[in-house]
Amino acid sequence: TTTTTATTTTEAFDCVIVCGLGKFDFLPPKHPAKELLSMMKVNPGLETWLVELESWDEERFGKTNSIVFGERTTNFGTRKGLPYDSRPYALSKDYADSNIVGCIAYPDDKLNKEEKEKLMREELKLELGASVKRVIGFRRFHWPVHVPPEAEKKDFFDKLHELQGQRQLYFVGEAFSSAGVQACIDWIEEFMPWHFPMHNIAPSAK
């Protein structure tokens, strides 16, 4: 509902679902979510390379492939994570008719671009036995706000779960579910029936 006076407009909602992160100025000063959300961070992000290889071993890797390199598969997708050392940890070759590949690394900002390129070339040679013919592109992507390991150790997710629905306020999104499409899907499939069971929804809205 909306109430308007000569100087202000006030809106009232059945519930508020927060899908992004900001200053949360709309929260009451001592709302417990403020302290919890202050624990979230923006990490250094990801670096990507687009390169053309001198050759591609189809017998070993097929015409197209997505590969996580060597022992790094142990940590991939886990809370332990991967080191910020600017060495590519994964590669994707999407087209059978070219030797152009994309690879991705967590950045070490103590290194300059030339040093990072040297590491990228070394890693592709080590993992694939392939030499880089030319570098087509290099980009830095900043990862969105996320829950760092130190916050997880302080039971961030359990505390968030306890806050969900207080004063009809809910928090959703990748920042709360962990990164990746599948993580978001798995999380929302638990979130919806827990907080919005179907028997509480009007038949016309089902």
Side-chain angles (χ1 to χ4, degrees), residues 160-179:
L160 176 69
H161 182 72
E162 293 173 2
L163 286 176
Q164 295 283 21
Q166 288 191 21
R167 302 188 187 183
Q168 294 301 98
L169 184 65
Y170 300 88
F171 300 90
V172 302
E174 187 177 43
F176 307 112
S177 65
S178 188

Side-chain angles (χ1 to χ4, degrees), residues 11-30:
E11 295 181 324
F13 302 91
D14 291 333
C15 67
V16 175
I17 299 178
V18 181
C19 300
L21 291 172
K23 295 181 180 179
F24 295 107
D25 293 336
F26 62 90
L27 290 173
K30 295 184 179 181

Side-chain angles (χ1 to χ4, degrees), residues 136-178:
I136 301 171
F138 171 77
R139 292 188 67 181
R140 174 74 167 264
F141 295 91
H142 284 279
W143 200 252
V145 176
H146 70 290
V147 181
E150 56 268 29
E152 291 191 39
K153 292 176 182 178
K154 294 180 181 179
D155 299 320
F156 178 95
F157 291 105
D158 289 338
K159 292 176 181 177
L160 176 69
H161 182 72
E162 293 173 2
L163 286 176
Q164 295 283 21
Q166 288 191 21
R167 302 188 187 183
Q168 294 301 98
L169 184 65
Y170 300 88
F171 300 90
V172 302
E174 187 177 43
F176 307 112
S177 65
S178 188

Side-chain angles (χ1 to χ4, degrees), residues 60-140:
R60 288 180 64 195
F61 306 115
K63 292 182 180 294
T64 62
N65 206 341
S66 295
I67 304 168
V68 178
F69 295 148
E71 295 180 357
R72 294 177 175 234
T73 55
T74 304
N75 294 335
F76 185 69
T78 70
R79 292 183 178 183
K80 186 175 180 181
L82 297 166
Y84 287 83
D85 59 6
S86 285
R87 289 184 177 274
Y89 67 82
L91 169 147
S92 179
K93 183 178 185 292
D94 296 330
Y95 301 99
D97 59 352
S98 81
N99 289 334
I100 294 176
V101 302
C103 52
I104 189 168
Y106 285 111
D108 180 352
D109 287 329
K110 297 188 297 293
L111 306 175
N112 59 40
K113 184 181 176 182
E114 289 72 25
E115 292 171 320
K116 293 176 181 180
E117 180 176 336
K118 180 175 181 292
L119 290 175
M120 177 271 294
R121 290 175 177 270
E122 290 176 354
E123 197 73 11
L124 296 187
K125 187 70 173 179
L126 174 67
E127 297 290 344
L128 305 176
S131 299
V132 174
K133 182 177 181 180
R134 64 185 175 111
V135 174
I136 301 171
F138 171 77
R139 292 188 67 181
R140 174 74 167 264

